[in-house]
Short mmCIF file of all heavy atoms in Angstrom, two decimals:
data_model
loop_
_atom_site.label_atom_id
_atom_site.label_comp_id
_atom_site.label_asym_id
_atom_site.label_seq_id
_atom_site.Cartn_x
_atom_site.Cartn_y
_atom_site.Cartn_z
N LEU A 29 8.49 -17.53 91.19
CA LEU A 29 9.34 -16.40 90.87
C LEU A 29 9.05 -15.86 89.47
O LEU A 29 9.03 -14.65 89.24
CB LEU A 29 10.81 -16.80 90.99
CG LEU A 29 11.85 -15.68 91.06
CD1 LEU A 29 11.46 -14.64 92.11
CD2 LEU A 29 13.22 -16.24 91.36
N ARG A 30 8.80 -16.76 88.53
CA ARG A 30 8.45 -16.33 87.18
C ARG A 30 7.13 -15.56 87.18
O ARG A 30 7.00 -14.55 86.48
CB ARG A 30 8.34 -17.55 86.25
CG ARG A 30 9.68 -18.18 85.89
CD ARG A 30 9.49 -19.42 85.05
NE ARG A 30 10.77 -20.01 84.68
CZ ARG A 30 10.90 -21.18 84.05
NH1 ARG A 30 9.82 -21.87 83.72
NH2 ARG A 30 12.10 -21.66 83.76
N ARG A 31 6.18 -16.02 87.97
CA ARG A 31 4.90 -15.31 88.06
C ARG A 31 5.09 -13.93 88.66
O ARG A 31 4.46 -12.97 88.23
CB ARG A 31 3.92 -16.13 88.90
CG ARG A 31 3.41 -17.38 88.19
CD ARG A 31 2.51 -18.19 89.12
NE ARG A 31 1.98 -19.37 88.43
CZ ARG A 31 1.28 -20.32 89.03
NH1 ARG A 31 1.03 -20.22 90.34
NH2 ARG A 31 0.84 -21.35 88.34
N ARG A 32 5.96 -13.84 89.66
CA ARG A 32 6.20 -12.53 90.28
C ARG A 32 6.86 -11.58 89.28
O ARG A 32 6.50 -10.40 89.20
CB ARG A 32 7.08 -12.69 91.52
CG ARG A 32 7.48 -11.34 92.10
CD ARG A 32 8.09 -11.45 93.46
NE ARG A 32 8.54 -10.15 93.91
CZ ARG A 32 7.76 -9.18 94.35
NH1 ARG A 32 6.46 -9.38 94.41
NH2 ARG A 32 8.25 -8.02 94.73
N LEU A 33 7.83 -12.08 88.50
CA LEU A 33 8.47 -11.22 87.51
C LEU A 33 7.47 -10.78 86.44
O LEU A 33 7.51 -9.63 85.99
CB LEU A 33 9.65 -11.97 86.86
CG LEU A 33 10.86 -12.21 87.76
CD1 LEU A 33 11.85 -13.14 87.09
CD2 LEU A 33 11.53 -10.89 88.12
N ALA A 34 6.58 -11.68 86.05
CA ALA A 34 5.55 -11.31 85.08
C ALA A 34 4.62 -10.25 85.66
O ALA A 34 4.24 -9.29 84.98
CB ALA A 34 4.76 -12.54 84.65
N ALA A 35 4.27 -10.43 86.94
CA ALA A 35 3.41 -9.44 87.60
C ALA A 35 4.11 -8.09 87.70
O ALA A 35 3.49 -7.04 87.50
CB ALA A 35 3.03 -9.93 89.00
N GLN A 36 5.41 -8.10 87.98
CA GLN A 36 6.16 -6.85 88.03
C GLN A 36 6.12 -6.15 86.68
O GLN A 36 5.94 -4.93 86.61
CB GLN A 36 7.60 -7.12 88.45
CG GLN A 36 7.78 -7.40 89.93
CD GLN A 36 9.24 -7.60 90.28
OE1 GLN A 36 9.89 -8.51 89.78
NE2 GLN A 36 9.76 -6.74 91.12
N LEU A 37 6.33 -6.91 85.61
CA LEU A 37 6.32 -6.32 84.27
C LEU A 37 4.97 -5.68 83.97
O LEU A 37 4.90 -4.57 83.44
CB LEU A 37 6.65 -7.39 83.23
CG LEU A 37 6.64 -6.94 81.77
CD1 LEU A 37 7.73 -5.89 81.54
CD2 LEU A 37 6.84 -8.12 80.83
N VAL A 38 3.90 -6.37 84.33
CA VAL A 38 2.56 -5.86 84.04
C VAL A 38 2.22 -4.65 84.89
O VAL A 38 1.81 -3.60 84.38
CB VAL A 38 1.51 -6.97 84.25
CG1 VAL A 38 0.09 -6.40 84.14
CG2 VAL A 38 1.69 -8.08 83.23
N PHE A 39 2.41 -4.78 86.22
CA PHE A 39 1.94 -3.74 87.13
C PHE A 39 2.91 -2.56 87.25
O PHE A 39 2.49 -1.46 87.62
CB PHE A 39 1.69 -4.34 88.52
CG PHE A 39 0.50 -5.25 88.57
CD1 PHE A 39 0.66 -6.62 88.66
CD2 PHE A 39 -0.78 -4.74 88.51
CE1 PHE A 39 -0.43 -7.46 88.70
CE2 PHE A 39 -1.88 -5.57 88.55
CZ PHE A 39 -1.70 -6.94 88.64
N GLU A 40 4.19 -2.78 86.96
CA GLU A 40 5.15 -1.70 87.11
C GLU A 40 5.44 -0.97 85.81
O GLU A 40 5.97 0.14 85.83
CB GLU A 40 6.47 -2.25 87.68
CG GLU A 40 6.32 -2.82 89.08
CD GLU A 40 7.63 -3.32 89.63
OE1 GLU A 40 8.69 -3.01 89.03
OE2 GLU A 40 7.63 -4.03 90.66
N LEU A 41 5.10 -1.60 84.67
CA LEU A 41 5.46 -0.97 83.41
C LEU A 41 4.30 -0.89 82.44
O LEU A 41 3.92 0.19 82.00
CB LEU A 41 6.63 -1.75 82.77
CG LEU A 41 7.34 -1.08 81.60
CD1 LEU A 41 8.01 0.22 82.05
CD2 LEU A 41 8.36 -2.01 80.97
N VAL A 42 3.70 -2.05 82.11
CA VAL A 42 2.70 -2.10 81.04
C VAL A 42 1.46 -1.29 81.40
O VAL A 42 1.03 -0.41 80.64
CB VAL A 42 2.32 -3.55 80.73
CG1 VAL A 42 1.19 -3.59 79.70
CG2 VAL A 42 3.53 -4.32 80.22
N LEU A 43 0.87 -1.55 82.57
CA LEU A 43 -0.37 -0.87 82.94
C LEU A 43 -0.20 0.64 83.14
O LEU A 43 -0.95 1.43 82.56
CB LEU A 43 -0.96 -1.51 84.20
CG LEU A 43 -1.70 -2.83 83.99
CD1 LEU A 43 -2.26 -3.33 85.32
CD2 LEU A 43 -2.82 -2.68 82.98
N PRO A 44 0.78 1.09 83.96
CA PRO A 44 0.86 2.54 84.18
C PRO A 44 1.22 3.33 82.94
O PRO A 44 0.58 4.32 82.62
CB PRO A 44 1.94 2.67 85.27
CG PRO A 44 2.72 1.40 85.21
CD PRO A 44 1.75 0.35 84.80
N LEU A 45 2.26 2.87 82.20
CA LEU A 45 2.65 3.61 81.01
C LEU A 45 1.62 3.43 79.90
O LEU A 45 1.32 4.38 79.16
CB LEU A 45 4.03 3.14 80.54
CG LEU A 45 5.20 3.53 81.43
CD1 LEU A 45 6.51 3.06 80.82
CD2 LEU A 45 5.25 5.04 81.67
N GLY A 46 1.09 2.22 79.76
CA GLY A 46 0.09 1.98 78.72
C GLY A 46 -1.16 2.81 78.95
O GLY A 46 -1.72 3.39 78.00
N SER A 47 -1.61 2.89 80.20
CA SER A 47 -2.80 3.69 80.50
C SER A 47 -2.53 5.18 80.27
O SER A 47 -3.38 5.90 79.73
CB SER A 47 -3.25 3.46 81.93
OG SER A 47 -2.29 3.94 82.85
N TYR A 48 -1.36 5.62 80.66
CA TYR A 48 -1.03 7.05 80.51
C TYR A 48 -1.04 7.46 79.04
O TYR A 48 -1.75 8.40 78.64
CB TYR A 48 0.33 7.34 81.14
CG TYR A 48 0.79 8.77 80.95
CD1 TYR A 48 0.30 9.79 81.76
CD2 TYR A 48 1.71 9.11 79.97
CE1 TYR A 48 0.70 11.10 81.59
CE2 TYR A 48 2.12 10.41 79.79
CZ TYR A 48 1.62 11.40 80.60
OH TYR A 48 2.02 12.70 80.43
N TYR A 49 -0.26 6.75 78.23
CA TYR A 49 -0.17 7.13 76.82
C TYR A 49 -1.44 6.77 76.05
O TYR A 49 -1.79 7.43 75.07
CB TYR A 49 1.06 6.48 76.18
CG TYR A 49 2.35 7.08 76.68
CD1 TYR A 49 3.19 6.38 77.53
CD2 TYR A 49 2.71 8.39 76.34
CE1 TYR A 49 4.36 6.93 78.01
CE2 TYR A 49 3.89 8.95 76.81
CZ TYR A 49 4.70 8.22 77.65
OH TYR A 49 5.86 8.78 78.13
N GLY A 50 -2.14 5.73 76.50
CA GLY A 50 -3.40 5.40 75.86
C GLY A 50 -4.45 6.48 76.10
O GLY A 50 -5.17 6.87 75.17
N LEU A 51 -4.53 6.97 77.33
CA LEU A 51 -5.47 8.05 77.64
C LEU A 51 -5.09 9.33 76.91
O LEU A 51 -5.97 10.07 76.44
CB LEU A 51 -5.52 8.28 79.15
CG LEU A 51 -6.19 7.17 79.97
CD1 LEU A 51 -6.01 7.43 81.46
CD2 LEU A 51 -7.67 7.07 79.61
N ARG A 52 -3.81 9.60 76.82
CA ARG A 52 -3.37 10.80 76.11
C ARG A 52 -3.75 10.71 74.63
O ARG A 52 -4.21 11.68 74.04
CB ARG A 52 -1.85 10.97 76.23
CG ARG A 52 -1.39 11.36 77.62
CD ARG A 52 -1.87 12.76 78.04
NE ARG A 52 -1.36 13.77 77.15
CZ ARG A 52 -2.11 14.66 76.53
NH1 ARG A 52 -3.44 14.64 76.68
NH2 ARG A 52 -1.56 15.57 75.74
N ALA A 53 -3.56 9.51 74.04
CA ALA A 53 -3.93 9.33 72.64
C ALA A 53 -5.43 9.47 72.43
O ALA A 53 -5.89 9.87 71.35
CB ALA A 53 -3.47 7.95 72.15
N ALA A 54 -6.22 9.16 73.48
CA ALA A 54 -7.67 9.28 73.39
C ALA A 54 -8.15 10.70 73.65
O ALA A 54 -9.35 10.96 73.62
CB ALA A 54 -8.33 8.32 74.38
N GLY A 55 -7.22 11.61 73.92
CA GLY A 55 -7.58 13.00 74.12
C GLY A 55 -7.79 13.41 75.56
O GLY A 55 -8.22 14.54 75.83
N VAL A 56 -7.48 12.53 76.50
CA VAL A 56 -7.62 12.87 77.91
C VAL A 56 -6.49 13.80 78.32
O VAL A 56 -5.36 13.71 77.82
CB VAL A 56 -7.60 11.59 78.78
CG1 VAL A 56 -7.72 11.92 80.27
CG2 VAL A 56 -8.74 10.65 78.35
N GLY A 57 -6.76 14.72 79.23
CA GLY A 57 -5.77 15.69 79.66
C GLY A 57 -4.56 15.07 80.34
O GLY A 57 -4.62 13.94 80.85
N GLN A 58 -3.45 15.85 80.36
CA GLN A 58 -2.21 15.34 80.94
C GLN A 58 -2.36 14.96 82.41
O GLN A 58 -1.90 13.91 82.85
CB GLN A 58 -1.09 16.37 80.80
CG GLN A 58 -0.69 16.65 79.36
CD GLN A 58 -1.37 17.91 78.85
OE1 GLN A 58 -2.37 18.36 79.41
NE2 GLN A 58 -0.83 18.49 77.79
N TRP A 59 -3.01 15.84 83.17
CA TRP A 59 -3.08 15.62 84.60
C TRP A 59 -3.92 14.40 84.94
O TRP A 59 -3.54 13.60 85.81
CB TRP A 59 -3.62 16.87 85.30
CG TRP A 59 -2.63 17.98 85.31
CD1 TRP A 59 -2.65 19.10 84.54
CD2 TRP A 59 -1.43 18.06 86.09
NE1 TRP A 59 -1.53 19.88 84.79
CE2 TRP A 59 -0.78 19.27 85.75
CE3 TRP A 59 -0.85 17.23 87.05
CZ2 TRP A 59 0.42 19.66 86.32
CZ3 TRP A 59 0.35 17.63 87.63
CH2 TRP A 59 0.98 18.83 87.26
#
């Protein structure tokens, strides 16, 4: 269960939001 919660945190929050704002900071377009 702890592993699943950790996976949820990574795949549901860290990766999508981190990639979005990281790409934006690198100058990639919004879309």
Side-chain angles (χ1 to χ4, degrees):
L29 196 50
R30 287 177 179 173
R31 288 176 178 173
R32 173 168 176 76
L33 290 171
Q36 284 182 299
L37 179 63
V38 172
F39 290 107
E40 296 181 12
L41 192 64
V42 175
L43 282 181
L45 290 183
S47 65
Y48 176 79
Y49 289 109
L51 290 173
R52 289 294 299 127
V56 178
Q58 295 98 341
W59 288 105

